[in-house]
Amino acid sequence: YSFNGGIGKKCDCDPTGSESTICDEYSGQCQCKKNVVGRQCQRCALAFYGFGQNGCSGNSVVTKIQT
């Protein structure tokens, strides 16, 4: 599939990190699995790991830096 915002660019959704091969028709954003990020759903979100068929896992709590 392709999207218009990218002037007919291919979606190139990552088969491991995305829910499907279809992306948003304007931005090209693929629908990512749980805790997966990137336009093509190609990496784990910050503080998450284990990129795989079920998305990414890890600690969703981000430690605040005290000043």
Side-chain angles (χ1 to χ4, degrees):
Y1 293 92
S2 64
F3 61 103
N4 293 333
I7 310 170
K9 281 184 153 181
K10 290 176 66 175
C11 293
D12 285 331
C13 298
D14 188 290
T16 301
S18 63
E19 295 288 352
S20 73
T21 58
I22 300 171
C23 65
D24 180 89
E25 64 180 303
Y26 298 106
S27 70
Q29 176 66 50
C30 299
Q31 184 179 4
C32 299
K33 293 180 180 176
K34 185 176 180 178
N35 304 316
V36 175
V37 296
R39 187 186 68 74
Q40 299 168 314
C41 304
Q42 72 276 18
R43 65 184 183 276
C44 292
L46 186 64
F48 292 90
Y49 60 89
F51 182 75
Q53 293 297 325
N54 294 318
C56 297
S57 57
N59 188 351
S60 62
V61 177
V62 178
T63 304
K64 292 183 180 180
I65 299 173
Q66 295 180 352
T67 56

